[in-house]
Amino acid sequence: MATNTVRVGLVAGGLGAYWPQFPDLLPQLKRSAARVSERMRDLGAEVEVVDVGFISDAEEGAAAAEKLRVAGCDLIVGFLTTYMTATMLVPIAQRSGAPVLLINLQPTESMDHATFDTGQWLAYCGACPLPEMANAFQRCGIPFRSVSGYVEDERAWAKIGRWVRAAGVRAALRRGRHGLMGHLYPGMLDVSTDLTLVSANFGGHVEVLEFDDLRVRVEKVTDTEAKAKVDEAREIFELADSVNEDDLGWAARVSVGLDRLVEDFGLDSLAYYHRGLDGEIHERLGAGMILGASLLTARGIPAAGEYELRTSLAMLIADRLGAGGSFTELQALDFHRGHVEMGHDGPAHLAISARKPLLRGLGVYHGKRGYGVSVEFDVKHGPVTAFGIIQRRDGRFGFVASEGETVDGPLLQIGNTTSRVDFGCDPGEWVDEWSATGISHHWALGTGHRVADLKALADLMDLEFTEVRP
């Protein structure tokens, strides 16, 4: 199971020829570098900063490049404190194998022009080498991005934080282990995913599982463990009168088995489906997945039904960005209220529910074999982002996202998650634009407006990004 830590390599630099000419300059620049390092660590407990110090020439740059290469960073941040030559940073970018972010943060918002001498001006000259770096990086075939501002500029730090978060998600995908259990829901051509393309586009590993891998673990669940899981469900969920105690007990056993499956295989996500036949054990396992899959999703291990691997990955991305991310498809359009109704039967992200989620007993699952308990809720009202992953004809993945608002309104009471989303336009127009992107019929619905974060991630991963706007 991958760690959520993001390792950020930090190197600050300036042109060494200045130091003997202006003795006060280097100490001032090093103070700025120390403050930048401090603020970088303040971006979150999961941020590990590998600070290799201050470089003044190409030789020191080469030494820093080797340190950062060995450290295995997820993002390299180059702090341009004053003018410096491209040869100081290009080797760092070439050898690290990580995305590069250049930051130009001058000491304050503006110089005191009436009193500054040349040495004091040079402390504000970090913008000067940025075009040089851009030119050299492009000619060397090195993608990069930049943020310019001043050391305590909250706007700039918000952008820096976005790049760091994106690097963390990229790292989670590259190190991730993604379970795929069962088989494709028959006929869903859009859901079918070439497993090799997951490694090609994202990195990571897809662990192909059998439902028998779950079966043998469920068979070993004790009555005590099953009761503890039932008690947990009663604490987290409101139970509808339709919940059958035997069905709840079975779902609890499957949930304990799922916990062991995830632990034994070190999974960061799971997509599953099994059709089954005439009440045999695999059908019962598939029908009993919803409770355990929802509990896993709420813990940050997204689980998606219908063998929807790309959506379980989209849910993982949304979760790592702090959005949650619940398994979703279109359900209906409310032209009277201007809302798109979306959700899904099966697993849900309980952590983003608008209220205490409901467990409802169902005597039949629509479109699936079996029966049991299912989750019913709507996503917290407020800003949301619909986000999915496309597999293009040429084998490349792409991101699709659209920002809206979840709002109040009537909801079906059929054991499905359902959210009413206002995208600020006619719902029919939105559905046509959304479908035209080539998205599959499943995606993740997460809290907050996340397009800027998702764009940053797409940039770091060299993926196409499409936003559907009103």
Side-chain angles (χ1 to χ4, degrees), residues 400-435:
V400 178
S402 186
E403 295 177 340
E405 305 278 333
T406 49
V407 295
D408 198 14
L411 302 173
L412 292 171
Q413 300 177 32
I414 60 172
N416 283 20
T417 64
T418 304
S419 296
R420 289 181 161 270
V421 186
D422 185 348
F423 288 103
C425 63
D426 180 276
E429 295 291 336
W430 184 86
V431 168
D432 288 339
E433 291 294 322
W434 182 252
S435 302

PDB file of all heavy atoms in Angstrom, residues 400-435:
ATOM      1  N   VAL A 400     -11.300  14.480 -17.521  1.00  0.00           N
ATOM      2  CA  VAL A 400     -12.467  15.308 -17.814  1.00  0.00           C
ATOM      3  C   VAL A 400     -13.051  15.762 -16.488  1.00  0.00           C
ATOM      4  O   VAL A 400     -13.210  14.946 -15.563  1.00  0.00           O
ATOM      5  CB  VAL A 400     -13.532  14.535 -18.612  1.00  0.00           C
ATOM      6  CG1 VAL A 400     -14.752  15.417 -18.866  1.00  0.00           C
ATOM      7  CG2 VAL A 400     -12.964  14.049 -19.933  1.00  0.00           C
ATOM      8  N   ALA A 401     -13.372  17.043 -16.373  1.00  0.00           N
ATOM      9  CA  ALA A 401     -13.920  17.556 -15.118  1.00  0.00           C
ATOM     10  C   ALA A 401     -14.921  18.663 -15.391  1.00  0.00           C
ATOM     11  O   ALA A 401     -14.867  19.338 -16.429  1.00  0.00           O
ATOM     12  CB  ALA A 401     -12.808  18.063 -14.211  1.00  0.00           C
ATOM     13  N   SER A 402     -15.830  18.845 -14.445  1.00  0.00           N
ATOM     14  CA  SER A 402     -16.812  19.919 -14.531  1.00  0.00           C
ATOM     15  C   SER A 402     -17.213  20.323 -13.122  1.00  0.00           C
ATOM     16  O   SER A 402     -17.498  19.461 -12.279  1.00  0.00           O
ATOM     17  CB  SER A 402     -18.050  19.464 -15.318  1.00  0.00           C
ATOM     18  OG  SER A 402     -18.944  20.537 -15.531  1.00  0.00           O
ATOM     19  N   GLU A 403     -17.216  21.616 -12.859  1.00  0.00           N
ATOM     20  CA  GLU A 403     -17.545  22.129 -11.533  1.00  0.00           C
ATOM     21  C   GLU A 403     -19.008  22.540 -11.461  1.00  0.00           C
ATOM     22  O   GLU A 403     -19.541  23.152 -12.392  1.00  0.00           O
ATOM     23  CB  GLU A 403     -16.660  23.321 -11.185  1.00  0.00           C
ATOM     24  CG  GLU A 403     -15.188  22.955 -11.061  1.00  0.00           C
ATOM     25  CD  GLU A 403     -14.288  24.137 -10.787  1.00  0.00           C
ATOM     26  OE1 GLU A 403     -14.705  25.293 -11.059  1.00  0.00           O
ATOM     27  OE2 GLU A 403     -13.150  23.911 -10.310  1.00  0.00           O
ATOM     28  N   GLY A 404     -19.658  22.199 -10.349  1.00  0.00           N
ATOM     29  CA  GLY A 404     -21.049  22.570 -10.135  1.00  0.00           C
ATOM     30  C   GLY A 404     -21.333  22.734  -8.656  1.00  0.00           C
ATOM     31  O   GLY A 404     -20.423  22.896  -7.842  1.00  0.00           O
ATOM     32  N   GLU A 405     -22.614  22.675  -8.309  1.00  0.00           N
ATOM     33  CA  GLU A 405     -23.049  22.792  -6.916  1.00  0.00           C
ATOM     34  C   GLU A 405     -24.075  21.708  -6.637  1.00  0.00           C
ATOM     35  O   GLU A 405     -25.034  21.540  -7.397  1.00  0.00           O
ATOM     36  CB  GLU A 405     -23.695  24.171  -6.658  1.00  0.00           C
ATOM     37  CG  GLU A 405     -22.848  25.368  -7.029  1.00  0.00           C
ATOM     38  CD  GLU A 405     -21.849  25.724  -5.944  1.00  0.00           C
ATOM     39  OE1 GLU A 405     -22.129  25.420  -4.767  1.00  0.00           O
ATOM     40  OE2 GLU A 405     -20.799  26.309  -6.278  1.00  0.00           O
ATOM     41  N   THR A 406     -23.887  20.966  -5.541  1.00  0.00           N
ATOM     42  CA  THR A 406     -24.950  20.061  -5.106  1.00  0.00           C
ATOM     43  C   THR A 406     -25.963  20.862  -4.316  1.00  0.00           C
ATOM     44  O   THR A 406     -25.603  21.697  -3.474  1.00  0.00           O
ATOM     45  CB  THR A 406     -24.401  18.904  -4.245  1.00  0.00           C
ATOM     46  OG1 THR A 406     -23.547  19.431  -3.236  1.00  0.00           O
ATOM     47  CG2 THR A 406     -23.655  17.901  -5.083  1.00  0.00           C
ATOM     48  N   VAL A 407     -27.234  20.609  -4.591  1.00  0.00           N
ATOM     49  CA  VAL A 407     -28.312  21.413  -4.028  1.00  0.00           C
ATOM     50  C   VAL A 407     -29.408  20.512  -3.475  1.00  0.00           C
ATOM     51  O   VAL A 407     -29.433  19.301  -3.698  1.00  0.00           O
ATOM     52  CB  VAL A 407     -28.897  22.356  -5.107  1.00  0.00           C
ATOM     53  CG1 VAL A 407     -27.859  23.375  -5.558  1.00  0.00           C
ATOM     54  CG2 VAL A 407     -29.402  21.563  -6.310  1.00  0.00           C
ATOM     55  N   ASP A 408     -30.322  21.125  -2.764  1.00  0.00           N
ATOM     56  CA  ASP A 408     -31.427  20.388  -2.155  1.00  0.00           C
ATOM     57  C   ASP A 408     -32.494  20.086  -3.206  1.00  0.00           C
ATOM     58  O   ASP A 408     -32.580  20.749  -4.244  1.00  0.00           O
ATOM     59  CB  ASP A 408     -32.023  21.222  -1.024  1.00  0.00           C
ATOM     60  CG  ASP A 408     -32.865  20.387  -0.069  1.00  0.00           C
ATOM     61  OD1 ASP A 408     -32.764  19.149  -0.134  1.00  0.00           O
ATOM     62  OD2 ASP A 408     -33.614  20.974   0.727  1.00  0.00           O
ATOM     63  N   GLY A 409     -33.301  19.076  -2.922  1.00  0.00           N
ATOM     64  CA  GLY A 409     -34.394  18.703  -3.810  1.00  0.00           C
ATOM     65  C   GLY A 409     -34.835  17.289  -3.516  1.00  0.00           C
ATOM     66  O   GLY A 409     -34.197  16.568  -2.735  1.00  0.00           O
ATOM     67  N   PRO A 410     -35.913  16.834  -4.128  1.00  0.00           N
ATOM     68  CA  PRO A 410     -36.405  15.477  -3.877  1.00  0.00           C
ATOM     69  C   PRO A 410     -35.433  14.414  -4.377  1.00  0.00           C
ATOM     70  O   PRO A 410     -34.795  14.579  -5.422  1.00  0.00           O
ATOM     71  CB  PRO A 410     -37.727  15.432  -4.650  1.00  0.00           C
ATOM     72  CG  PRO A 410     -37.602  16.488  -5.695  1.00  0.00           C
ATOM     73  CD  PRO A 410     -36.763  17.564  -5.089  1.00  0.00           C
ATOM     74  N   LEU A 411     -35.312  13.327  -3.611  1.00  0.00           N
ATOM     75  CA  LEU A 411     -34.391  12.247  -3.941  1.00  0.00           C
ATOM     76  C   LEU A 411     -35.137  10.920  -3.912  1.00  0.00           C
ATOM     77  O   LEU A 411     -36.050  10.721  -3.107  1.00  0.00           O
ATOM     78  CB  LEU A 411     -33.232  12.191  -2.935  1.00  0.00           C
ATOM     79  CG  LEU A 411     -32.383  13.455  -2.798  1.00  0.00           C
ATOM     80  CD1 LEU A 411     -31.387  13.302  -1.647  1.00  0.00           C
ATOM     81  CD2 LEU A 411     -31.641  13.765  -4.088  1.00  0.00           C
ATOM     82  N   LEU A 412     -34.733  10.011  -4.790  1.00  0.00           N
ATOM     83  CA  LEU A 412     -35.299   8.666  -4.777  1.00  0.00           C
ATOM     84  C   LEU A 412     -34.891   7.925  -3.502  1.00  0.00           C
ATOM     85  O   LEU A 412     -33.803   8.155  -2.960  1.00  0.00           O
ATOM     86  CB  LEU A 412     -34.812   7.874  -5.995  1.00  0.00           C
ATOM     87  CG  LEU A 412     -35.328   8.332  -7.361  1.00  0.00           C
ATOM     88  CD1 LEU A 412     -34.576   7.597  -8.464  1.00  0.00           C
ATOM     89  CD2 LEU A 412     -36.825   8.090  -7.485  1.00  0.00           C
ATOM     90  N   GLN A 413     -35.757   7.030  -3.060  1.00  0.00           N
ATOM     91  CA  GLN A 413     -35.484   6.229  -1.864  1.00  0.00           C
ATOM     92  C   GLN A 413     -35.452   4.756  -2.266  1.00  0.00           C
ATOM     93  O   GLN A 413     -36.314   3.968  -1.894  1.00  0.00           O
ATOM     94  CB  GLN A 413     -36.552   6.500  -0.801  1.00  0.00           C
ATOM     95  CG  GLN A 413     -36.600   7.964  -0.370  1.00  0.00           C
ATOM     96  CD  GLN A 413     -37.712   8.248   0.624  1.00  0.00           C
ATOM     97  OE1 GLN A 413     -38.075   7.397   1.444  1.00  0.00           O
ATOM     98  NE2 GLN A 413     -38.268   9.453   0.552  1.00  0.00           N
ATOM     99  N   ILE A 414     -34.409   4.418  -3.040  1.00  0.00           N
ATOM    100  CA  ILE A 414     -34.322   3.070  -3.615  1.00  0.00           C
ATOM    101  C   ILE A 414     -32.978   2.397  -3.331  1.00  0.00           C
ATOM    102  O   ILE A 414     -32.571   1.478  -4.025  1.00  0.00           O
ATOM    103  CB  ILE A 414     -34.573   3.118  -5.136  1.00  0.00           C
ATOM    104  CG1 ILE A 414     -33.544   4.005  -5.835  1.00  0.00           C
ATOM    105  CG2 ILE A 414     -36.002   3.603  -5.438  1.00  0.00           C
ATOM    106  CD1 ILE A 414     -33.608   3.944  -7.354  1.00  0.00           C
ATOM    107  N   GLY A 415     -32.260   2.890  -2.305  1.00  0.00           N
ATOM    108  CA  GLY A 415     -30.975   2.288  -1.984  1.00  0.00           C
ATOM    109  C   GLY A 415     -29.841   2.721  -2.884  1.00  0.00           C
ATOM    110  O   GLY A 415     -28.843   2.020  -2.994  1.00  0.00           O
ATOM    111  N   ASN A 416     -29.972   3.867  -3.539  1.00  0.00           N
ATOM    112  CA  ASN A 416     -28.910   4.429  -4.391  1.00  0.00           C
ATOM    113  C   ASN A 416     -28.369   5.704  -3.772  1.00  0.00           C
ATOM    114  O   ASN A 416     -29.076   6.411  -3.052  1.00  0.00           O
ATOM    115  CB  ASN A 416     -29.452   4.788  -5.774  1.00  0.00           C
ATOM    116  CG  ASN A 416     -29.645   3.599  -6.672  1.00  0.00           C
ATOM    117  OD1 ASN A 416     -29.738   2.460  -6.199  1.00  0.00           O
ATOM    118  ND2 ASN A 416     -29.711   3.836  -7.962  1.00  0.00           N
ATOM    119  N   THR A 417     -27.118   6.023  -4.059  1.00  0.00           N
ATOM    120  CA  THR A 417     -26.665   7.385  -3.822  1.00  0.00           C
ATOM    121  C   THR A 417     -27.260   8.256  -4.923  1.00  0.00           C
ATOM    122  O   THR A 417     -27.334   7.844  -6.082  1.00  0.00           O
ATOM    123  CB  THR A 417     -25.136   7.486  -3.853  1.00  0.00           C
ATOM    124  OG1 THR A 417     -24.666   7.156  -5.154  1.00  0.00           O
ATOM    125  CG2 THR A 417     -24.510   6.526  -2.848  1.00  0.00           C
ATOM    126  N   THR A 418     -27.695   9.441  -4.553  1.00  0.00           N
ATOM    127  CA  THR A 418     -28.231  10.384  -5.538  1.00  0.00           C
ATOM    128  C   THR A 418     -27.883  11.795  -5.095  1.00  0.00           C
ATOM    129  O   THR A 418     -28.105  12.154  -3.937  1.00  0.00           O
ATOM    130  CB  THR A 418     -29.756  10.279  -5.677  1.00  0.00           C
ATOM    131  OG1 THR A 418     -30.128   8.947  -6.013  1.00  0.00           O
ATOM    132  CG2 THR A 418     -30.262  11.227  -6.762  1.00  0.00           C
ATOM    133  N   SER A 419     -27.316  12.580  -5.996  1.00  0.00           N
ATOM    134  CA  SER A 419     -27.049  13.989  -5.732  1.00  0.00           C
ATOM    135  C   SER A 419     -27.647  14.822  -6.853  1.00  0.00           C
ATOM    136  O   SER A 419     -27.584  14.432  -8.026  1.00  0.00           O
ATOM    137  CB  SER A 419     -25.541  14.251  -5.634  1.00  0.00           C
ATOM    138  OG  SER A 419     -24.975  13.564  -4.545  1.00  0.00           O
ATOM    139  N   ARG A 420     -28.204  15.944  -6.464  1.00  0.00           N
ATOM    140  CA  ARG A 420     -28.697  16.919  -7.447  1.00  0.00           C
ATOM    141  C   ARG A 420     -27.597  17.943  -7.682  1.00  0.00           C
ATOM    142  O   ARG A 420     -27.165  18.625  -6.748  1.00  0.00           O
ATOM    143  CB  ARG A 420     -29.946  17.609  -6.934  1.00  0.00           C
ATOM    144  CG  ARG A 420     -31.167  16.711  -6.890  1.00  0.00           C
ATOM    145  CD  ARG A 420     -32.389  17.469  -6.379  1.00  0.00           C
ATOM    146  NE  ARG A 420     -33.596  16.745  -6.773  1.00  0.00           N
ATOM    147  CZ  ARG A 420     -34.257  16.945  -7.901  1.00  0.00           C
ATOM    148  NH1 ARG A 420     -33.824  17.878  -8.748  1.00  0.00           N
ATOM    149  NH2 ARG A 420     -35.319  16.235  -8.202  1.00  0.00           N
ATOM    150  N   VAL A 421     -27.146  18.056  -8.928  1.00  0.00           N
ATOM    151  CA  VAL A 421     -26.046  18.967  -9.234  1.00  0.00           C
ATOM    152  C   VAL A 421     -26.521  20.033 -10.198  1.00  0.00           C
ATOM    153  O   VAL A 421     -27.102  19.732 -11.256  1.00  0.00           O
ATOM    154  CB  VAL A 421     -24.840  18.214  -9.824  1.00  0.00           C
ATOM    155  CG1 VAL A 421     -23.660  19.165  -9.984  1.00  0.00           C
ATOM    156  CG2 VAL A 421     -24.455  17.032  -8.931  1.00  0.00           C
ATOM    157  N   ASP A 422     -26.283  21.276  -9.812  1.00  0.00           N
ATOM    158  CA  ASP A 422     -26.588  22.426 -10.663  1.00  0.00           C
ATOM    159  C   ASP A 422     -25.281  22.882 -11.306  1.00  0.00           C
ATOM    160  O   ASP A 422     -24.378  23.362 -10.619  1.00  0.00           O
ATOM    161  CB  ASP A 422     -27.200  23.545  -9.807  1.00  0.00           C
ATOM    162  CG  ASP A 422     -27.652  24.736 -10.629  1.00  0.00           C
ATOM    163  OD1 ASP A 422     -27.296  24.819 -11.825  1.00  0.00           O
ATOM    164  OD2 ASP A 422     -28.354  25.600 -10.082  1.00  0.00           O
ATOM    165  N   PHE A 423     -25.182  22.723 -12.618  1.00  0.00           N
ATOM    166  CA  PHE A 423     -23.981  23.128 -13.338  1.00  0.00           C
ATOM    167  C   PHE A 423     -24.119  24.527 -13.945  1.00  0.00           C
ATOM    168  O   PHE A 423     -23.276  24.952 -14.739  1.00  0.00           O
ATOM    169  CB  PHE A 423     -23.650  22.113 -14.428  1.00  0.00           C
ATOM    170  CG  PHE A 423     -23.113  20.813 -13.894  1.00  0.00           C
ATOM    171  CD1 PHE A 423     -23.908  19.686 -13.819  1.00  0.00           C
ATOM    172  CD2 PHE A 423     -21.799  20.732 -13.457  1.00  0.00           C
ATOM    173  CE1 PHE A 423     -23.411  18.485 -13.331  1.00  0.00           C
ATOM    174  CE2 PHE A 423     -21.283  19.539 -12.957  1.00  0.00           C
ATOM    175  CZ  PHE A 423     -22.098  18.411 -12.891  1.00  0.00           C
ATOM    176  N   GLY A 424     -25.174  25.215 -13.572  1.00  0.00           N
ATOM    177  CA  GLY A 424     -25.349  26.590 -14.039  1.00  0.00           C
ATOM    178  C   GLY A 424     -25.806  26.703 -15.471  1.00  0.00           C
ATOM    179  O   GLY A 424     -25.615  27.752 -16.098  1.00  0.00           O
ATOM    180  N   CYS A 425     -26.411  25.653 -16.011  1.00  0.00           N
ATOM    181  CA  CYS A 425     -26.897  25.675 -17.383  1.00  0.00           C
ATOM    182  C   CYS A 425     -28.025  24.668 -17.520  1.00  0.00           C
ATOM    183  O   CYS A 425     -28.328  23.922 -16.581  1.00  0.00           O
ATOM    184  CB  CYS A 425     -25.774  25.378 -18.377  1.00  0.00           C
ATOM    185  SG  CYS A 425     -25.056  23.731 -18.198  1.00  0.00           S
ATOM    186  N   ASP A 426     -28.627  24.626 -18.678  1.00  0.00           N
ATOM    187  CA  ASP A 426     -29.664  23.642 -18.944  1.00  0.00           C
ATOM    188  C   ASP A 426     -29.085  22.242 -18.764  1.00  0.00           C
ATOM    189  O   ASP A 426     -28.013  21.940 -19.319  1.00  0.00           O
ATOM    190  CB  ASP A 426     -30.170  23.832 -20.382  1.00  0.00           C
ATOM    191  CG  ASP A 426     -31.269  22.837 -20.733  1.00  0.00           C
ATOM    192  OD1 ASP A 426     -30.927  21.697 -21.131  1.00  0.00           O
ATOM    193  OD2 ASP A 426     -32.442  23.202 -20.609  1.00  0.00           O
ATOM    194  N   PRO A 427     -29.729  21.377 -17.990  1.00  0.00           N
ATOM    195  CA  PRO A 427     -29.144  20.050 -17.746  1.00  0.00           C
ATOM    196  C   PRO A 427     -28.938  19.235 -19.019  1.00  0.00           C
ATOM    197  O   PRO A 427     -27.985  18.459 -19.111  1.00  0.00           O
ATOM    198  CB  PRO A 427     -30.141  19.387 -16.788  1.00  0.00           C
ATOM    199  CG  PRO A 427     -31.396  20.173 -16.899  1.00  0.00           C
ATOM    200  CD  PRO A 427     -30.988  21.555 -17.245  1.00  0.00           C
ATOM    201  N   GLY A 428     -29.819  19.396 -19.987  1.00  0.00           N
ATOM    202  CA  GLY A 428     -29.639  18.683 -21.248  1.00  0.00           C
ATOM    203  C   GLY A 428     -28.400  19.141 -21.992  1.00  0.00           C
ATOM    204  O   GLY A 428     -27.668  18.321 -22.571  1.00  0.00           O
ATOM    205  N   GLU A 429     -28.147  20.451 -21.979  1.00  0.00           N
ATOM    206  CA  GLU A 429     -26.946  20.974 -22.626  1.00  0.00           C
ATOM    207  C   GLU A 429     -25.687  20.435 -21.949  1.00  0.00           C
ATOM    208  O   GLU A 429     -24.718  20.054 -22.614  1.00  0.00           O
ATOM    209  CB  GLU A 429     -26.946  22.509 -22.576  1.00  0.00           C
ATOM    210  CG  GLU A 429     -28.060  23.171 -23.373  1.00  0.00           C
ATOM    211  CD  GLU A 429     -27.873  22.989 -24.870  1.00  0.00           C
ATOM    212  OE1 GLU A 429     -26.727  22.776 -25.315  1.00  0.00           O
ATOM    213  OE2 GLU A 429     -28.884  23.055 -25.598  1.00  0.00           O
ATOM    214  N   TRP A 430     -25.725  20.375 -20.584  1.00  0.00           N
ATOM    215  CA  TRP A 430     -24.550  19.886 -19.866  1.00  0.00           C
ATOM    216  C   TRP A 430     -24.282  18.414 -20.213  1.00  0.00           C
ATOM    217  O   TRP A 430     -23.125  18.037 -20.474  1.00  0.00           O
ATOM    218  CB  TRP A 430     -24.733  20.038 -18.354  1.00  0.00           C
ATOM    219  CG  TRP A 430     -23.494  19.618 -17.612  1.00  0.00           C
ATOM    220  CD1 TRP A 430     -22.411  20.400 -17.325  1.00  0.00           C
ATOM    221  CD2 TRP A 430     -23.182  18.299 -17.122  1.00  0.00           C
ATOM    222  NE1 TRP A 430     -21.440  19.649 -16.686  1.00  0.00           N
ATOM    223  CE2 TRP A 430     -21.893  18.358 -16.542  1.00  0.00           C
ATOM    224  CE3 TRP A 430     -23.869  17.087 -17.111  1.00  0.00           C
ATOM    225  CZ2 TRP A 430     -21.285  17.253 -15.949  1.00  0.00           C
ATOM    226  CZ3 TRP A 430     -23.261  15.981 -16.535  1.00  0.00           C
ATOM    227  CH2 TRP A 430     -21.985  16.058 -15.959  1.00  0.00           C
ATOM    228  N   VAL A 431     -25.309  17.604 -20.218  1.00  0.00           N
ATOM    229  CA  VAL A 431     -25.128  16.177 -20.494  1.00  0.00           C
ATOM    230  C   VAL A 431     -24.567  15.964 -21.893  1.00  0.00           C
ATOM    231  O   VAL A 431     -23.696  15.113 -22.108  1.00  0.00           O
ATOM    232  CB  VAL A 431     -26.457  15.413 -20.308  1.00  0.00           C
ATOM    233  CG1 VAL A 431     -26.366  14.004 -20.878  1.00  0.00           C
ATOM    234  CG2 VAL A 431     -26.815  15.346 -18.835  1.00  0.00           C
ATOM    235  N   ASP A 432     -25.032  16.745 -22.861  1.00  0.00           N
ATOM    236  CA  ASP A 432     -24.515  16.607 -24.216  1.00  0.00           C
ATOM    237  C   ASP A 432     -23.031  16.977 -24.282  1.00  0.00           C
ATOM    238  O   ASP A 432     -22.222  16.284 -24.922  1.00  0.00           O
ATOM    239  CB  ASP A 432     -25.313  17.484 -25.182  1.00  0.00           C
ATOM    240  CG  ASP A 432     -26.711  16.940 -25.448  1.00  0.00           C
ATOM    241  OD1 ASP A 432     -26.930  15.740 -25.224  1.00  0.00           O
ATOM    242  OD2 ASP A 432     -27.576  17.727 -25.865  1.00  0.00           O
ATOM    243  N   GLU A 433     -22.657  18.080 -23.607  1.00  0.00           N
ATOM    244  CA  GLU A 433     -21.256  18.498 -23.611  1.00  0.00           C
ATOM    245  C   GLU A 433     -20.381  17.493 -22.867  1.00  0.00           C
ATOM    246  O   GLU A 433     -19.274  17.162 -23.309  1.00  0.00           O
ATOM    247  CB  GLU A 433     -21.118  19.887 -22.973  1.00  0.00           C
ATOM    248  CG  GLU A 433     -21.718  21.018 -23.785  1.00  0.00           C
ATOM    249  CD  GLU A 433     -20.974  21.219 -25.095  1.00  0.00           C
ATOM    250  OE1 GLU A 433     -19.731  21.087 -25.117  1.00  0.00           O
ATOM    251  OE2 GLU A 433     -21.638  21.505 -26.110  1.00  0.00           O
ATOM    252  N   TRP A 434     -20.856  17.001 -21.748  1.00  0.00           N
ATOM    253  CA  TRP A 434     -20.120  16.019 -20.952  1.00  0.00           C
ATOM    254  C   TRP A 434     -19.905  14.731 -21.749  1.00  0.00           C
ATOM    255  O   TRP A 434     -18.792  14.199 -21.799  1.00  0.00           O
ATOM    256  CB  TRP A 434     -20.896  15.756 -19.669  1.00  0.00           C
ATOM    257  CG  TRP A 434     -20.281  14.804 -18.693  1.00  0.00           C
ATOM    258  CD1 TRP A 434     -20.698  13.542 -18.401  1.00  0.00           C
ATOM    259  CD2 TRP A 434     -19.162  15.037 -17.826  1.00  0.00           C
ATOM    260  NE1 TRP A 434     -19.907  12.973 -17.416  1.00  0.00           N
ATOM    261  CE2 TRP A 434     -18.944  13.865 -17.051  1.00  0.00           C
ATOM    262  CE3 TRP A 434     -18.300  16.125 -17.637  1.00  0.00           C
ATOM    263  CZ2 TRP A 434     -17.934  13.754 -16.101  1.00  0.00           C
ATOM    264  CZ3 TRP A 434     -17.282  16.012 -16.686  1.00  0.00           C
ATOM    265  CH2 TRP A 434     -17.108  14.840 -15.942  1.00  0.00           C
ATOM    266  N   SER A 435     -20.947  14.254 -22.388  1.00  0.00           N
ATOM    267  CA  SER A 435     -20.849  13.013 -23.148  1.00  0.00           C
ATOM    268  C   SER A 435     -19.944  13.162 -24.359  1.00  0.00           C
ATOM    269  O   SER A 435     -19.256  12.203 -24.764  1.00  0.00           O
ATOM    270  CB  SER A 435     -22.241  12.558 -23.597  1.00  0.00           C
ATOM    271  OG  SER A 435     -23.099  12.368 -22.490  1.00  0.00           O
TER     272      SER A 435
END
